[in-house]
Amino acid sequence: MKKILKGKFDRLRQLSNASGTFSALAIDQRGSLESMVQSSMPEGVYTGEYAKEFKRLVSKELTPYISAILLDKKLGISAISAKSDTCGLILSYEKAGSEVFSTPGKIPEILLNESCKRMVDFGADALKVLVYYNPDDDFDVLDKKHAFLERLGNEARAAEIPIFVEPLVYDNTVTDQGTKEFAKLKAKKVKATVAEFSKSKYQIDVLKIELPFNYKYVESFVEKENSTVLYTKEEVKQDLIQIGELASCPIIYLSAGVPTDVFRKELNLVNNSGAKYSGVLCGRATWQDGVSIYATEGAAALTEWLQTTGKQNVQELNKLLDHGATPWYDIYGGLDNIEVVEQSY
């Protein structure tokens, strides 16, 4: 019997759809989104208000069709106010990834002016924390990240708010993650990371993970005769199944910035493998094509795009989830095998 605190249980239900899966949209990008919008505008035009409006419009138009949205409080306050009441709210709880990635050891940091309790009081249904993770790193680096997650888990338990942890794998020698060399390492690193973060000491509620392959080198994606095939479809299938078996908490997949049609093909691969997963937290694959439309044609044009293409992007993903994702509570044996408990101090 799996015991889950009532606050966490109620919020996980709020964040998932009627089928018990997570159809979630990520638009918590901060500096990277500002750069995307600014680069599409004439020089000297951009202000931070444009990124805020972009998020607000995405939230207003797409949240009626998803179970949860991931936002930030730096640029996303108006987007939070604009979301549908039926859509759960996940808030970023860490410094932007760009601020951490270039630092020694890539040690994660929590926003200094926030706490789990403050986020709960603000209305969050869950918190998301990104952690750059290399399972082959030096002990000192790993120990700091493990301790960070243990503290985070205890704080979230006290506030009874679910934690979505997003581990992004890297290597200290092969630093270009788009290369064949890194693609050869990726599946092993993702599996080792899932195995580590599934340990009960971290109290992670949902793992938001990368797909364990680079689609450019998968047998079914390679189009040119001189392209390199690093993974057969059978190898990908086995990696996905093993990840599902290693996880002791629900896992959801991120889109990692790939084009919309590519992410659909990737999810089809997951579905056809029969591997266990409980949904997606999809970002740029859903809305990135709207950035240039907004920057060059304005809010009305973006609204029209969101109401048509953006909505279709979401609905196509929802169809894929209907065919392959399993309820988050199935990893615990189903709702009948969960005991909802009150907090004890």
Side-chain angles (χ1 to χ4, degrees):
M1 183 71 70
K2 171 69 176 180
K3 294 183 179 181
I4 301 181
L5 290 171
K6 186 179 187 306
K8 286 197 175 196
F9 179 82
D10 291 344
R11 292 185 173 101
L12 287 168
R13 295 298 298 269
Q14 172 64 28
L15 294 159
S16 53
N17 57 30
S19 299
T21 59
F22 299 101
S23 168
L25 174 67
I27 187 165
D28 65 320
Q29 290 83 352
R30 285 154 271 183
S32 61
L33 177 63
E34 289 192 286
S35 296
M36 289 174 70
V37 177
Q38 184 174 12
S39 64
S40 298
M41 287 183 158
E43 186 174 352
V45 172
Y46 177 81
T47 71
E49 296 305 310
Y50 286 106
K52 293 176 182 178
E53 183 178 49
F54 181 84
K55 291 194 180 201
R56 179 181 65 79
L57 292 171
V58 169
S59 177
K60 178 179 182 294
E61 299 300 335
L62 297 186
T63 51
Y65 313 107
I66 57 178
S67 68
I69 187 168
L70 169 60
L71 287 163
D72 63 289
K73 290 175 70 175
K74 179 181 179 181
L75 299 173
I77 295 296
S78 63
I80 293 167
S81 299
K83 79 173 185 66
S84 167
D85 291 339
T86 63
C87 179
L89 175 62
I90 310 169
L91 287 178
S92 286
Y93 189 38
E94 83 285 346
K95 281 190 176 180
S98 58
E99 297 181 53
V100 173
F101 188 77
S102 60
T103 61
K106 301 175 179 57
I107 307 300
E109 293 184 58
I110 292 297
L111 295 170
L112 294 178
N113 62 333
E114 295 292 356
S115 70
C116 286
K117 179 63 166 57
R118 289 184 180 189
M119 293 291 207
V120 168
D121 291 343
F122 184 78
D125 298 301
L127 302 180
K128 185 273 299 183
V129 172
L130 181 153
V131 179
Y132 293 107
Y133 194 76
N134 175 13
D136 303 305
D137 227 329
D138 293 338
F139 171 82
D140 183 58
V141 172
L142 293 176
D143 196 43
K144 288 176 181 175
K145 293 179 182 180
H146 295 167
F148 168 85
L149 287 171
E150 290 172 31
R151 289 194 298 271
L152 176 67
N154 282 317
E155 184 191 3
R157 177 181 175 83
E160 295 196 43
I161 189 167
I163 289 289
F164 285 52
V165 172
E166 178 183 1
L168 298 181
V169 300
Y170 67 93
D171 187 80
N172 293 321
T173 302
V174 183
T175 55
D176 186 345
Q177 298 191 10
T179 62
K180 293 183 291 185
E181 289 71 25
F182 187 80
K184 294 175 183 178
L185 303 173
K186 191 171 185 180
K188 181 181 177 182
K189 287 184 181 291
V190 172
K191 284 187 275 190
T193 301
V194 170
E196 176 63 36
F197 288 4
S198 288
K199 294 177 179 177
S200 59
K201 65 179 179 179
Y202 300 119
Q203 304 182 68
I204 293 171
D205 300 284
V206 177
L207 273 174
K208 176 191 176 189
I209 62 173
E210 305 166 271
L211 289 158
F213 54 82
N214 184 325
Y215 74 94
K216 295 178 182 178
Y217 305 111
V218 178
E219 180 182 29
S220 58
F221 287 98
V222 171
E223 297 177 354
K224 299 178 182 178
E225 291 184 2
N226 60 348
S227 297
T228 302
V229 174
L230 296 181
Y231 326 90
T232 66
K233 284 189 283 187
E234 184 60 29
E235 288 170 333
V236 169
K237 174 181 176 180
Q238 291 305 315
D239 286 335
L240 291 165
I241 289 172
Q242 288 173 23
I243 287 170
E245 293 172 343
L246 286 167
S248 62
C249 67
I251 60 171
I252 58 177
Y253 283 109
L254 57 94
S255 58
V258 300
T260 305
D261 61 328
V262 171
F263 189 53
R264 290 175 190 159
K265 291 177 181 178
E266 291 178 333
L267 274 187
N268 261 318
L269 262 180
V270 181
N271 287 350
N272 292 336
S273 75
K276 295 178 181 177
Y277 76 108
S278 295
V280 296
L281 187 42
C282 178
R284 286 168 288 174
T286 299
W287 50 257
Q288 64 182 338
D289 291 343
V291 173
S292 60
I293 292 172
Y294 172 68
T296 57
E297 301 179 46
L302 174 63
T303 297
E304 181 180 356
W305 183 88
L306 289 168
Q307 291 174 347
T308 53
T309 304
K311 176 182 175 181
Q312 181 180 355
N313 288 344
V314 169
Q315 291 178 327
E316 289 296 327
L317 284 178
N318 287 342
K319 289 178 185 177
L320 287 168
L321 296 182
D322 289 341
H323 285 93
T326 57
W328 63 266
Y329 40 77
D330 276 10
I331 198 164
Y332 305 123
L335 288 174
D336 290 342
N337 202 47
I338 293 176
E339 181 185 354
V340 179
V341 297
E342 299 288 345
Q343 182 78 271
S344 59
Y345 297 94

